[in-house]
Amino acid sequence: MQLVKIFWFISIIGAFAVNVLCYASFPPVVSYYFDIAGNPEMFIGKELFFYYTFAIILIANILLSLLGKIPAYISKELLIVPRKKLWTQDINTRKELNKKLKEWVRGLAMLINFFIMTILGFIANANTENNFSISWVQYLLLFLAICWLIFFFPLFMRKPEVLRD
């Protein structure tokens, strides 16, 4: 499914774009850790914050991309998927399983990219004079995480396309 790959790529571009926008709006010193009362406790230079965030986005997406390729090299006994016998019965069903698992892991990468964008938004909101109400975003993230988890089971409960009549 090329659509998942496209949305994953868009989420990477979005995470980098949010990072650049936050960099432009940050003061020279960025507070990234706050106590319970909302007072800043830990600070870092905005350039260093930008580069650390850039590295986190890049490393997380590379590692998740590699993680999506691992199931192709795992024996069928170690795989944990619904209807495992059906999905591992021959080379064609196994290829389809690997493709679906890779798409599901890319969904996780999209979710993590949205999570990083949300964290950047909260940090930017706390470090700038423009205080916007962005608390609704946490509910959107929770909804997306639940959808991602629930999507796993219908993805593998159907018969592989190779076996459909």
Side-chain angles (χ1 to χ4, degrees):
M1 186 187 262
Q2 286 294 96
L3 197 58
V4 174
K5 189 174 188 177
I6 291 168
F7 283 129
W8 172 58
F9 185 72
I10 289 171
S11 75
I12 293 171
I13 299 299
F16 286 138
V18 169
N19 193 24
V20 169
L21 290 172
C22 287
Y23 175 77
S25 69
F26 281 154
V29 177
V30 177
S31 175
Y32 65 93
Y33 185 79
F34 303 88
D35 63 11
I36 295 175
N39 300 317
E41 286 192 351
M42 294 186 170
F43 300 91
I44 190 172
K46 82 176 193 176
E47 291 85 9
L48 200 55
F49 183 85
F50 171 78
Y51 290 120
Y52 281 165
T53 307
F54 187 88
I56 288 169
I57 295 167
L58 190 64
I59 291 169
N61 281 282
I62 289 171
L63 288 177
L64 285 167
S65 180
L66 292 174
L67 179 68
K69 295 176 182 179
I70 288 176
Y73 303 103
I74 295 177
S75 69
K76 68 180 181 179
E77 292 81 21
L78 296 176
L79 283 174
I80 303 172
V81 293
R83 301 176 79 179
K84 183 181 356 183
K85 281 187 178 182
L86 186 68
W87 284 99
T88 58
Q89 69 184 10
D90 66 17
I91 190 83
N92 293 325
T93 57
R94 182 64 192 252
K95 282 182 182 179
E96 190 175 339
L97 171 70
N98 294 339
K99 183 181 173 189
K100 288 186 181 285
L101 283 172
K102 186 187 289 188
E103 291 171 0
W104 192 70
V105 171
R106 282 186 179 147
L108 174 63
M110 280 190 289
L111 189 65
I112 290 173
N113 288 334
F114 287 128
F115 182 71
I116 290 170
M117 286 186 262
T118 303
I119 290 173
L120 286 171
F122 283 128
I123 291 173
N125 199 31
N127 280 283
T128 59
E129 296 173 7
N130 305 329
N131 288 325
F132 299 106
S133 176
I134 56 174
S135 61
W136 60 271
V137 176
Q138 64 190 354
Y139 299 111
L140 177 64
L141 274 175
L142 180 63
F143 172 74
L144 290 173
I146 290 170
C147 288
W148 175 77
L149 283 172
I150 291 173
F151 184 65
F152 179 76
F153 296 102
L155 191 63
F156 299 105
M157 291 307 287
R158 295 184 311 201
K159 275 187 169 182
E161 289 181 25
V162 176
L163 300 178
R164 292 185 198 154
D165 294 319

